[in-house]
Amino acid sequence: MKEHTKSRHFIQRIIDEDNVTEKFDNRVHTRFPPEPNGYLHIGHAKAICLSFSIAEEYGGKCYLRFDDTNPIAEEDEYVRAIQEDVKWLGYEWDKLCFASDYFQQMYDYAVDLVKSGNAYVCDLTADEIKDTRGSLTEAGKESQYRNRPIKENLDLFTRMKDGEFPDGSRTLRAKIDMAHSNMNMRDPVVYRILHAHHHRTKDDWCIYPMYDWAHGLEDSIEGVTHSLCSLEFEDHRPIYDWYLDALGVYHPQQIEFARLNLSYTIMSKRMLKQLVDENHVSGWDDPRMPTISGLRRRGYTPAAIRNFMEEIGIAKRDNVMEMTKLESALRQDLNKRCERRMAVLNPLKVVITNYPEGEEETLEAVNNPEDESAGKRQVPFSRELFIERDDFMEDPPKKFFRLGLGREVRLRYAYFITCNNVVKDNDSNITELHCTYDPETKGGNAPDRRKVKTTLHWVSAKHAVDTEVRKYDRLFNVPAPGSMENFLEAINPNSLTLLNNCKMEPELKNAKVGEPVQFERLGYFCKDPDAGDKPIFNRTVPMRDAWAKLEKQMQSGKKN
RNA sequence: UGGGGCGUCGUCUAACGGUAGGACACCGGGUUUUGGUCCCGGCAGUCGGGGUUCAAGUCCCUGCGCCCCAGCCA
């Protein structure tokens, strides 16, 4: 086949070409321009990874710029959270900027636009503008204010800025073409009157620039070379170009790519905000949320997210990634970095009847079989233990390898045990197992080389640390909740399972909040900041589960 | 149906006129003190129809399908 060189995506190719033609003097300068009107989500992470990694790859710059041109939706809390998220992903911006830093400059440019006859003050109401815009197939009608003398426009625009007019009474509009086939070119609004308090400029302004006007200017002012954005802005590129050309200023190149979609979740800030506002989740950082902060709290690592973004690529076609792809990247990263511990989520008491009462010992356990340098630890063992309820069946099917009456299994790093007796309560619920251990199998190997079918995790009862575990499942039950009439109807009522009688090995007392750890045979977990009297662990992602798959197949009758 | 985009395994994504490859998923098998990891193998794709060419996923024509646009949101 070809070389092992990684193929380059279309944006890299455009930049390579620009560097050959020296279009931007071989500079590469990108930016990530979030509006601070919500928290960042995994979809934003794609844009972040793209823009920052492009800058890194070409030895260029990437700015973090808040596109704060709409004071009504924007808040400082979001500004703070967004910075935290970008940093957490591992990126350092070359400069932190705000669109609002350029409000004066943008205003001055708008005055230039009026002076050159390219913009006019329009007295039409929002409804009237809408009514005269035309439709996809019909041309719009020109505003009766379209041909006001420049002098009058200048006067009116100044007075707009000075606060003489109420909200919505007038706008500054670009004079382009009301019959243009691109709706964005039908005399778009450049400035609207908004007597609103801005999170940074306070009450300095009562007119605010529209996105199309502001964004290109921000890029131009900062010297951005390649302005990367998502596909829905493709229709806006003509207006981006028109403004910059009309002004005769430095002209970056806008390039659009397909945003990330993930199955079984939503990627809309509006909907995410609704989940938060209506308390369907505990907050923007609820571990079930596809937000960066939610994923962080859930136990995702920056490396997992970045590797995922690297794997999914950059292209222009609409896409919906399967969640399994994200989880695969997650497990891959967690597997190599996580230390292993033992914890029992649904405890079942086991009494080792031939183990001396009152005695205990300590056994050596490997911290990470994937990484010898992680070392070993001691785990206490005693006569009474807890094992997972799911690991015992009184009358198991052939393919169930775990513990059953009369069966022998290995306890990880400990002994072989055989179950001799099942103790039940009056409702015939199993309350306790009586087993015997083979002292010869200490550490987990039998001198006579006999084998067992499986190995179980366990926790010594008297040494166990009580804990609570939160298991998460997908937040939505349908593949594309965002495209439903009402996405709330797709919420999975079982997205959160609370387990409050969990038992952990004592070493887990030292777990740090947010630090990922593998509970052997169960999955990856991390301690939640919420802990009350008991520590709380979030299940980040379960282990791949061949037995669960087999069980499912047996239920559906494919196997037996 | 005006304009702008996009159609390659189930899902993503490569192949710049020269053997359609990789990842995830799925299905088998091996190793294993995690039914994990790891290893091996398998399944599976160029939207349709014409054309150009020795050769087409790639170029041309044509048809079909999907996405975006009528905020004083971004």
Side-chain angles (χ1 to χ4, degrees):
Chain A
M1 209 48 224
K2 306 276 178 307
E3 252 65 289
H4 295 296
T5 60
K6 264 179 259 155
S7 65
R8 303 179 65 64
H9 57 68
F10 79 99
I11 295 177
Q12 291 170 316
R13 287 179 195 191
I14 290 171
I15 296 174
D16 290 343
E17 177 63 20
D18 288 345
N19 284 343
V20 168
T21 62
E22 304 198 327
K23 178 173 177 182
F24 295 107
D25 303 320
N26 291 337
R27 282 187 312 117
V28 173
H29 187 163
T30 58
R31 100 269 93 113
F32 174 62
E35 183 190 12
N37 67 344
Y39 279 57
L40 261 23
H41 54 63
I42 182 85
H44 293 111
K46 178 177 181 179
I48 293 168
C49 292
L50 209 216
S51 284
F52 278 94
S53 68
I54 285 283
E56 211 168 81
E57 175 186 349
Y58 290 92
K61 293 178 182 172
C62 184
Y63 289 0
L64 172 61
R65 181 179 69 223
F66 288 96
D67 213 353
D68 54 350
T69 57
N70 182 8
I72 292 168
E74 297 152 8
E75 294 174 21
D76 272 329
E77 182 202 344
Y78 299 134
V79 172
R80 196 216 84 245
I82 287 167
Q83 292 182 60
E84 186 185 350
D85 290 346
V86 174
K87 274 191 223 161
W88 178 76
L89 281 172
Y91 295 107
E92 288 176 33
W93 46 86
D94 290 280
K95 192 176 174 191
L96 180 68
C97 338
F98 293 82
S100 52
D101 290 342
Y102 316 131
F103 278 174
Q104 183 62 47
Q105 246 178 117
M106 289 179 190
Y107 174 80
D108 293 341
Y109 276 131
V111 170
D112 289 345
L113 203 64
V114 172
K115 284 180 177 166
S116 62
N118 283 311
Y120 61 96
V121 171
C122 183
D123 299 358
L124 258 28
T125 64
D127 282 344
E128 286 167 335
I129 287 182
K130 185 178 178 176
D131 291 342
T132 52
R133 190 165 5 241
S135 72
L136 294 180
T137 50
E138 296 166 286
K141 293 182 190 63
E142 293 187 352
S143 164
Q144 63 259 46
Y145 305 101
R146 195 172 201 261
N147 296 310
R148 282 222 254 235
I150 290 176
K151 218 179 135 192
E152 187 183 339
N153 284 323
L154 244 20
D155 172 62
L156 253 15
F157 186 44
T158 302
R159 290 163 64 195
M160 277 171 65
K161 183 203 65 171
D162 290 343
E164 287 191 28
F165 311 121
D167 287 1
S169 59
R170 285 180 227 266
T171 55
L172 182 74
R173 291 227 261 168
K175 191 190 284 192
I176 306 181
D177 179 3
M178 286 307 291
H180 202 108
S181 53
N182 181 335
M183 301 293 287
N184 296 127
M185 300 293 270
R186 319 245 262 226
D187 288 13
V189 172
V190 180
Y191 271 91
R192 76 279 213 185
I193 301 173
L194 233 44
H195 291 267
H197 186 79
H198 185 278
H199 73 112
R200 300 193 84 232
T201 60
K202 311 303 175 194
D203 300 306
D204 290 352
W205 295 88
C206 63
I207 58 172
Y208 290 92
M210 295 291 291
Y211 167 85
D212 288 311
W213 175 249
H215 204 90
L217 287 177
E218 294 157 21
D219 286 343
S220 178
I221 290 165
E222 291 170 3
V224 165
T225 55
H226 304 271
S227 181
L228 313 181
C229 62
S230 43
L231 251 29
E232 66 269 30
F233 291 100
E234 225 154 11
D235 285 342
H236 294 247
R237 184 158 21 97
I239 186 66
Y240 181 102
D241 291 339
W242 192 91
Y243 282 143
L244 262 15
D245 289 343
L247 257 18
V249 296
Y250 168 73
H251 194 150
Q253 180 181 359
Q254 174 179 304
I255 303 171
E256 312 84 12
F257 62 94
R259 64 194 313 164
L260 168 69
N261 294 292
L262 261 186
S263 61
Y264 292 97
T265 191
I266 51 175
M267 224 59 100
S268 143
K269 271 200 248 182
R270 192 205 99 227
M271 290 185 240
L272 292 172
K273 187 169 191 302
Q274 193 180 345
L275 289 177
V276 173
D277 290 345
E278 297 178 5
N279 295 310
H280 296 106
V281 295
S282 65
W284 285 98
D285 70 341
D286 186 300
R288 291 167 294 179
M289 292 281 272
T291 50
I292 308 289
S293 53
L295 294 170
R296 174 167 62 235
R297 187 166 173 185
R298 171 91 168 238
Y300 273 72
T301 58
I305 293 171
R306 291 171 63 152
N307 292 343
F308 170 72
M309 296 306 169
E310 195 61 43
E311 284 173 7
I312 64 174
I314 299 293
K316 291 197 73 158
R317 62 184 91 95
D318 291 329
N319 63 85
V320 183
M321 289 305 313
E322 288 177 346
M323 197 67 89
T324 52
K325 180 81 175 176
L326 213 209
E327 290 180 344
S328 168
L330 213 212
R331 290 195 182 99
Q332 194 185 329
D333 185 54
L334 259 19
N335 176 55
K336 62 173 194 256
R337 84 195 313 148
C338 283
E339 294 207 352
R340 312 286 118 142
R341 297 288 183 266
M342 291 197 285
V344 173
L345 268 33
N346 295 299
L348 173 60
K349 171 82 73 76
V350 169
V351 179
I352 311 292
T353 53
N354 60 338
Y355 194 87
E357 278 187 65
E359 240 175 67
E360 62 183 70
E361 65 186 303
T362 225
L363 300 161
E364 192 174 67
V366 173
N367 281 331
N368 184 354
E370 309 293 320
D371 176 12
E372 207 177 318
S373 72
K376 296 176 175 173
R377 69 184 187 284
Q378 297 299 122
V379 185
F381 183 89
S382 61
R383 192 169 190 265
E384 298 195 350
L385 315 166
F386 292 114
I387 65 165
E388 210 69 59
R389 234 162 228 286
D390 286 349
D391 284 340
F392 177 81
M393 279 181 101
E394 202 172 357
D395 182 24
K398 292 117 277 183
K399 289 189 175 167
F400 183 86
F401 300 154
R402 283 112 94 148
L403 196 57
L405 200 48
R407 284 196 188 190
E408 183 173 53
V409 298
R410 171 168 39 231
L411 294 180
R412 181 87 153 146
Y413 300 124
Y415 298 95
F416 286 11
I417 60 168
T418 302
C419 179
N420 309 303
N421 192 226
V422 180
V423 181
K424 297 179 182 174
D425 63 15
N426 293 334
D427 301 321
S428 65
N429 297 309
I430 299 172
T431 56
E432 204 171 285
L433 261 27
H434 287 176
C435 302
T436 50
Y437 84 121
D438 177 356
E440 297 297 307
T441 59
K442 179 167 179 174
N445 284 307
D448 64 3
R449 320 281 294 176
R450 76 178 187 279
K451 302 289 181 197
V452 288
K453 286 295 263 283
T454 199
T455 301
L456 267 35
H457 62 278
W458 53 274
V459 172
S460 165
K462 74 182 274 198
H463 302 92
V465 177
D466 288 324
T467 185
E468 185 177 319
V469 166
R470 296 174 180 167
K471 287 199 319 187
Y472 302 103
D473 196 357
R474 54 169 66 123
L475 227 200
F476 297 97
N477 275 328
V478 303
S483 58
M484 290 176 62
E485 347 56 57
N486 178 10
F487 77 103
L488 296 175
E489 288 171 5
I491 291 182
N492 175 7
N494 304 312
S495 61
L496 170 62
T497 306
L498 251 42
L499 299 169
N500 44 34
N501 184 30
C502 309
K503 309 287 184 181
M504 310 185 300
E505 65 167 275
E507 183 67 30
L508 248 5
K509 274 186 287 198
N510 305 317
K512 295 188 196 71
V513 169
E515 186 179 53
V517 59
Q518 183 192 109
F519 289 176
E520 293 223 25
R521 300 210 304 135
L522 297 175
Y524 298 92
F525 296 75
C526 71
K527 190 171 164 184
D528 191 86
D530 261 4
D533 46 332
K534 289 186 208 172
I536 297 172
F537 280 79
N538 294 313
R539 187 179 71 180
T540 308
V541 65
M543 301 296 263
R544 278 204 183 83
D545 192 346
W547 166 242
K549 199 177 279 184
L550 232 191
E551 255 187 324
K552 210 179 249 178
Q553 286 174 352
M554 292 191 311
Q555 276 166 20
S556 62
K558 283 182 197 154
K559 302 240 168 136
N560 53 11

